[in-house]
Amino acid sequence: GDEGDKLIFRILNSGDFLKKMDENDFNKPDLSKIVNKISEKGLRYDLTVPFARFVVKNQNELTLPFKRYQIQPVWRADKPQKGRYREFYQCDVDVIGSKTMINEYELIQIINSVFEKLKINAHIKINNRKILAGIFEIVGEADKFIPITVAIDKINKIGIDNVIEELNKIGLSKNAIKTLANLLDKKNNSNNNISELKNILTNNPTGKEGIEEIEKILNYLENDNLFVKVNFDFSLARGLSYYTGTIFEVIANDAEIGSICGGGRYDDLTEMFGLKDISGVGVSFGAERIYDVMEQLNLFPEYAYTSTKVIFINFGEKEENKCIQLAKELRKKGISTEIYPEQAKLKKQMQYANKKNIPYVIMIGEEELNSETLTIKNMNSGEQKTIKAEELIRFFG
Amino acid sequence: GDEGDKLIFRILNSGDFLKKMDENDFNKPDLSKIVNKISEKGLRYDLTVPFARFVVKNQNELTLPFKRYQIQPVWRADKPQKGRYREFYQCDVDVIGSKTMINEYELIQIINSVFEKLKINAHIKINNRKILAGIFEIVGEADKFIPITVAIDKINKIGIDNVIEELNKIGLSKNAIKTLANLLDKKNNSNNNISELKNILTNNPTGKEGIEEIEKILNYLENDNLFVKVNFDFSLARGLSYYTGTIFEVIANDAEIGSICGGGRYDDLTEMFGLKDISGVGVSFGAERIYDVMEQLNLFPEYAYTSTKVIFINFGEKEENKCIQLAKELRKKGISTEIYPEQAKLKKQMQYANKKNIPYVIMIGEEELNSETLTIKNMNSGEQKTIKAEELIRFFG
């Protein structure tokens, strides 16, 4: 869509990037013409569109339904600000080639496992574009689907009053705005107002299908006691134009940062690359935002801050060789080990261990070398112990 | 360096990218001037320079020596060809703030572990730029260090004769070329010709230091019986201008694809960002080339081609719910499980399991549902077995 196009970073052609320019471009510079003459490539905007292209290109080799996950950086030519980055990693999960709601249900399971493991309290907002479409049809504004969803999508950022103003600008009828505003009203947003929408949409096939799909998903969820709660939310619209059915958004309960995961179902995305009637559904986790939430809420586990478990103090060349041998044995056992690389003053080496939160310091000086022993200092308790070199592995057993 | 600059992808400024252009730029277009007016950013060329910048920027928070690994995509505005990509992932390991050769030794250990685990037969070429510099000094061509190394670096691509021709073009004396050609001659390249170089460099402090560093590393390695062999190679030069000491290159023995890992020591890289006298050393693994080698040599393990272990056949709504429950239990045990998302014909579902190499197919039809059993088919043996539903976990125990 247009909104997205503006946010694509363009790459200048290599070599003589001016070679396609003609006199007119220099006499009457026209940005939108020139940009396509000097730039053929752009930076990846998301992972869903490239995925659809991949599926079309490899349709003869792939077995449908095709499932994949993908973690890669994407770029947005946006003003950087909290929670909004010019380069960030998306972690996408998609199923393509299957229309049933069990796919949506399984994606919810994945979202639940992820945030349960990360200990992030969060909830999933869920809606269906067919419900939105149905309502827009009923209020006689079906032709303005995209601009209305773009406006509604901003409700959490700009509030209901500003959304109403935008709907006014788009040219919606007073009646249409009134109906939408009523349905968008926060107080009505809960799983309960599905029945209200169901009543309104009884005679609208599109909307009815949307309701049925949402109910199917909620039925699957009935017996699950998920860590991440799922709430139907009619005000959820999503900004991207390619969604046609279910839409998701995950919000962290205890941090203000926008959505940390989002996605939905797309029926026609492969069509732009020449393959019809392949429906897909997927979600995308925003790695940096999730990181921000975890940092803000102190959710990183202690071990995320300690990488090395054991360090050997360096007392000189002879001692170093012994340390190298023993370090090899520890590493073989999966114990992450360092040897201080310089024969620096003991104080400096201890400071290094301290600053890096290394819990065990091993000292092999001349005495230890001669007696085939080593001294281990527990940096947390301060306790120090001399053991035989051959007992080292057992010490960490 | 200039060679690198040409390979950087430039990003067109967002918005009105022509706004810094003046009349002259339109009347007499000059590529090198215009490029800086319409583009401020470029795509990451490698991970070492950004790492040096990071270290300088965070010098007050970091504890030196500082170790880090980093896996990220980089870009080269190059003609794509076998083993040469426009976008590829580098996997870098660096230590900065320590000058001793134990760091080089530990990097060799890392290289060894990586290729031993991946079962790629490979060898490490090792050299030291100080040895090259020493020789260039002795033959009276010290001022042409960069162009000579760039020429030597191509020896495996273009052969010794073409390198000699390039050295001629650079303007080296006949004598200098003769000495270099003799030392570069493949037949002389082995750990043995260190002593020859040692003799030549006795009175050259730079070269002597290089020899001592190499010998120190080889000493550390003496008692190691590494999977990846280390060979001193005077013809190894590396293309990048920032290396000042040890240089490495890893070559796969059984595949022709150029180096699959490379690196070296850099003494002055942080200086360009304002911090002097911080020496670092690191290596970079080329993920795509390693992937190519593994694919070419069939080194991917069987499990790399099977992701799902169990699939539930979908016989309809009622049966599906039972499958969902059991799938949850299997997944909790870490057994990767799918439920076929559509109530398709059995043949189609079995074909899907077959194509995806899924070893176990579970069928719960009406009969199984009523008797609380399930039928498991082993897709490799063809064997089929009906067990009680509650025995499922134990079956995969």
Side-chain angles (χ1 to χ4, degrees):
Chain A
D2 281 350
E3 287 285 317
D5 264 0
K6 268 183 257 163
L7 296 177
I8 289 178
F9 276 118
R10 305 284 306 232
I11 295 173
L12 200 59
N13 290 341
S14 302
D16 179 5
F17 54 85
L18 294 178
K19 73 175 171 225
K20 285 191 187 159
M21 301 270 280
D22 56 38
E23 225 166 278
N24 266 327
D25 297 320
F26 287 109
N27 293 336
K28 287 187 191 168
D30 174 345
L31 281 181
S32 56
K33 262 190 202 162
I34 293 177
V35 72
N36 291 317
K37 289 189 174 182
I38 64 175
S39 156
E40 279 167 0
K41 291 181 281 292
L43 291 185
R44 200 165 35 237
Y45 176 86
D46 75 356
L47 306 182
T48 313
V49 177
F51 170 62
R53 194 214 298 249
F54 172 87
V55 170
V56 175
K57 212 179 151 191
N58 297 280
Q59 52 182 294
N60 296 323
E61 285 76 43
L62 293 177
T63 315
L64 292 184
F66 176 62
K67 301 179 176 190
R68 80 89 178 73
Y69 70 85
Q70 182 175 354
I71 298 176
Q72 254 180 325
V74 299
W75 291 265
R76 306 278 163 95
D78 213 345
K79 228 190 220 165
Q81 47 186 293
K82 191 194 163 199
R84 205 164 282 278
Y85 307 99
R86 291 202 288 208
E87 178 180 9
F88 59 99
Y89 276 77
Q90 286 193 330
C91 316
D92 277 32
V93 190
D94 286 82
V95 193
I96 200 162
S98 169
K99 291 181 179 181
T100 63
M101 290 304 116
I102 196 171
N103 298 296
E104 270 85 342
Y105 170 65
E106 296 227 286
L107 289 171
I108 291 172
Q109 299 278 353
I110 291 171
I111 293 171
N112 181 63
S113 323
V114 167
F115 294 115
E116 189 167 17
K117 267 200 187 143
L118 298 178
K119 299 197 172 72
I120 297 180
N121 289 313
H123 62 278
I124 304 177
K125 289 182 187 176
I126 186 172
N127 194 8
N128 193 304
R129 283 238 168 140
K130 290 174 191 164
I131 297 176
L132 292 169
I135 295 292
F136 302 169
E137 281 171 21
I138 282 174
V139 299
E141 306 283 3
D143 56 319
K144 304 200 181 74
F145 184 82
I146 298 286
I148 305 179
T149 51
V150 169
I152 293 182
D153 183 52
K154 300 179 189 158
I155 192 161
N156 287 316
K157 276 180 226 149
I158 62 175
I160 178 87
D161 293 340
N162 288 312
V163 169
I164 291 174
E165 208 181 298
E166 285 216 14
L167 294 176
N168 243 320
K169 270 188 214 155
I170 296 165
L172 259 64
S173 72
K174 283 225 169 95
N175 251 331
I177 294 179
K178 202 178 150 194
T179 309
L180 284 177
N182 181 42
L183 287 167
L184 289 170
D185 191 350
K186 279 282 158 198
K187 279 161 279 176
N188 290 326
N189 286 331
S190 79
N191 290 357
N192 298 332
N193 77 341
I194 291 188
S195 48
E196 187 188 346
L197 285 161
K198 209 169 166 175
N199 282 335
I200 302 176
L201 294 165
T202 336
N203 296 315
N204 179 284
T206 315
K208 225 174 138 187
E209 213 178 291
I211 296 279
E212 276 162 17
E213 291 180 358
I214 284 283
E215 286 189 327
K216 181 95 194 169
I217 298 169
L218 296 175
N219 270 341
Y220 280 128
L221 290 164
E222 214 167 33
N223 297 315
D224 289 343
N225 188 14
L226 296 186
F227 176 77
V228 178
K229 299 296 170 215
V230 180
N231 302 319
F232 171 71
D233 186 340
F234 174 74
S235 78
L236 176 67
R238 302 285 300 154
L240 289 169
S241 56
Y242 51 65
Y243 293 127
T244 50
T246 313
I247 41 182
F248 307 99
E249 210 164 270
V250 183
I251 309 289
N253 296 344
D254 310 319
E256 274 184 25
I257 197 152
S259 61
I260 51 179
C261 175
R265 181 171 283 277
Y266 40 88
D267 284 340
D268 312 310
L269 201 49
T270 56
E271 200 178 323
M272 65 195 248
F273 301 113
L275 185 64
K276 272 191 168 181
D277 293 326
I278 304 286
S279 181
V281 59
V283 293
S284 179
F285 294 84
E288 283 78 1
R289 285 194 181 178
I290 292 172
Y291 182 99
D292 289 346
V293 169
M294 291 183 70
E295 198 165 60
Q296 196 188 319
L297 302 178
N298 268 313
L299 293 176
F300 283 110
E302 194 50 44
Y303 64 75
Y305 301 98
T306 336
S307 56
T308 304
K309 192 164 179 188
V310 179
I311 187 165
F312 285 90
I313 296 295
N314 195 327
F315 286 108
E317 224 162 291
K318 254 193 310 175
E319 292 85 356
E320 196 185 67
N321 280 318
K322 186 73 193 164
C323 296
I324 287 176
Q325 269 175 50
L326 294 171
K328 243 181 261 173
E329 288 178 33
L330 287 175
R331 286 169 176 165
K332 240 184 236 161
K333 294 281 167 192
I335 298 165
S336 114
T337 304
E338 283 187 48
I339 300 159
Y340 195 85
E342 317 259 343
Q343 194 192 334
K345 282 192 183 134
L346 181 60
K347 198 183 156 192
K348 193 180 171 192
Q349 298 191 45
M350 293 303 274
Q351 272 172 350
Y352 175 83
N354 233 328
K355 277 194 194 160
K356 282 193 72 176
N357 279 325
I358 302 176
Y360 294 99
V361 170
I362 298 184
M363 285 165 282
I364 301 179
E366 214 183 330
E367 213 184 297
E368 281 92 349
L369 199 63
N370 291 332
S371 58
E372 296 197 4
T373 58
L374 48 86
T375 301
I376 304 186
K377 182 170 183 175
N378 180 321
M379 295 293 276
N380 296 319
S381 67
E383 210 183 326
Q384 206 163 295
K385 205 174 163 182
T386 300
I387 62 169
K388 286 194 175 162
E390 70 222 47
E391 288 169 351
L392 177 61
I393 299 295
R394 234 175 305 148
F395 182 88
F396 290 104
Chain B
D2 282 350
E3 288 284 318
D5 264 358
K6 267 183 256 163
L7 297 178
I8 289 179
F9 276 116
R10 305 284 305 235
I11 294 173
L12 200 59
N13 290 340
S14 303
D16 180 6
F17 55 85
L18 294 177
K19 73 175 171 225
K20 284 190 187 160
M21 300 272 281
D22 56 38
E23 223 166 278
N24 266 327
D25 297 321
F26 288 110
N27 293 336
K28 286 186 188 170
D30 174 345
L31 279 182
S32 57
K33 264 191 201 160
I34 293 177
V35 72
N36 290 317
K37 289 190 173 181
I38 64 174
S39 156
E40 278 167 1
K41 292 181 281 293
L43 292 186
R44 199 164 37 235
Y45 177 86
D46 75 357
L47 306 182
T48 312
V49 177
F51 170 62
R53 194 215 296 248
F54 171 86
V55 170
V56 175
K57 213 182 151 189
N58 296 281
Q59 52 183 292
N60 296 322
E61 285 76 45
L62 293 177
T63 316
L64 294 183
F66 176 62
K67 301 178 175 187
R68 80 89 179 73
Y69 69 85
Q70 183 175 354
I71 299 177
Q72 254 180 325
V74 299
W75 292 265
R76 305 279 162 94
D78 213 347
K79 227 189 218 165
Q81 48 187 291
K82 192 195 163 197
R84 207 165 281 279
Y85 308 97
R86 291 202 289 207
E87 177 180 8
F88 59 100
Y89 275 77
Q90 287 193 329
C91 316
D92 277 33
V93 189
D94 286 83
V95 193
I96 198 160
S98 169
K99 291 181 179 182
T100 63
M101 290 304 116
I102 196 172
N103 298 297
E104 270 85 343
Y105 171 64
E106 295 226 285
L107 288 171
I108 291 171
Q109 299 279 352
I110 290 171
I111 293 171
N112 182 62
S113 323
V114 167
F115 294 115
E116 189 167 17
K117 266 198 190 147
L118 299 178
K119 300 198 170 75
I120 297 180
N121 289 312
H123 62 278
I124 304 177
K125 290 182 187 177
I126 185 172
N127 193 11
N128 192 304
R129 282 238 169 140
K130 289 173 190 165
I131 297 177
L132 291 170
I135 295 292
F136 301 168
E137 281 170 22
I138 281 172
V139 300
E141 306 283 4
D143 56 319
K144 303 199 182 75
F145 184 82
I146 299 286
I148 305 179
T149 51
V150 169
I152 294 182
D153 183 52
K154 300 179 190 158
I155 191 161
N156 287 317
K157 274 179 228 153
I158 62 175
I160 178 86
D161 292 340
N162 289 312
V163 169
I164 290 172
E165 208 182 297
E166 285 216 13
L167 295 175
N168 244 320
K169 270 189 211 154
I170 296 165
L172 259 64
S173 72
K174 283 227 167 91
N175 250 329
I177 292 178
K178 201 177 150 196
T179 311
L180 284 177
N182 181 41
L183 287 166
L184 288 172
D185 191 348
K186 276 285 158 199
K187 279 160 278 174
N188 290 326
N189 285 332
S190 79
N191 289 357
N192 297 333
N193 79 339
I194 291 189
S195 48
E196 187 188 345
L197 285 160
K198 207 168 168 177
N199 282 333
I200 303 175
L201 294 166
T202 336
N203 297 314
N204 179 284
T206 315
K208 226 175 137 185
E209 213 178 291
I211 296 279
E212 277 161 17
E213 291 181 358
I214 285 284
E215 287 189 327
K216 181 95 194 167
I217 298 168
L218 296 175
N219 271 340
Y220 278 128
L221 290 165
E222 214 166 34
N223 297 316
D224 288 344
N225 189 16
L226 295 187
F227 176 79
V228 179
K229 299 296 170 214
V230 179
N231 302 319
F232 171 71
D233 186 340
F234 174 73
S235 78
L236 175 67
R238 302 287 298 156
L240 289 169
S241 56
Y242 51 66
Y243 293 127
T244 50
T246 315
I247 41 181
F248 306 99
E249 210 164 271
V250 183
I251 309 289
N253 297 344
D254 310 320
E256 275 185 26
I257 197 151
S259 61
I260 50 178
C261 175
R265 181 170 283 278
Y266 41 88
D267 284 339
D268 312 310
L269 201 50
T270 56
E271 202 178 322
M272 65 195 247
F273 301 113
L275 186 65
K276 273 192 166 178
D277 294 325
I278 303 286
S279 181
V281 59
V283 293
S284 180
F285 295 84
E288 282 78 0
R289 284 193 181 177
I290 292 172
Y291 182 99
D292 288 346
V293 169
M294 291 182 70
E295 197 166 59
Q296 197 187 319
L297 303 177
N298 267 313
L299 294 175
F300 282 109
E302 194 51 44
Y303 64 75
Y305 301 99
T306 337
S307 56
T308 304
K309 193 165 177 190
V310 179
I311 187 166
F312 285 91
I313 297 294
N314 195 328
F315 286 108
E317 224 163 292
K318 254 193 311 177
E319 293 85 356
E320 198 186 65
N321 280 318
K322 185 74 192 163
C323 297
I324 287 176
Q325 269 175 50
L326 294 170
K328 245 182 257 174
E329 288 178 32
L330 286 175
R331 286 169 176 165
K332 241 185 235 162
K333 295 281 167 193
I335 299 165
S336 113
T337 304
E338 283 186 51
I339 300 160
Y340 195 85
E342 317 259 342
Q343 194 192 335
K345 281 193 184 136
L346 180 61
K347 199 182 157 193
K348 194 179 171 193
Q349 299 191 45
M350 293 303 275
Q351 273 173 349
Y352 175 84
N354 233 329
K355 278 195 193 157
K356 282 194 73 175
N357 279 325
I358 302 176
Y360 294 99
V361 170
I362 298 184
M363 283 164 284
I364 301 180
E366 213 183 329
E367 212 183 300
E368 282 93 350
L369 199 63
N370 291 332
S371 58
E372 296 197 6
T373 59
L374 47 86
T375 302
I376 304 185
K377 180 170 185 175
N378 180 322
M379 296 293 277
N380 296 318
S381 68
E383 210 182 326
Q384 206 162 298
K385 206 175 161 180
T386 300
I387 61 169
K388 286 194 176 161
E390 70 221 46
E391 287 169 351
L392 178 60
I393 299 296
R394 234 174 306 149
F395 182 89
F396 291 105

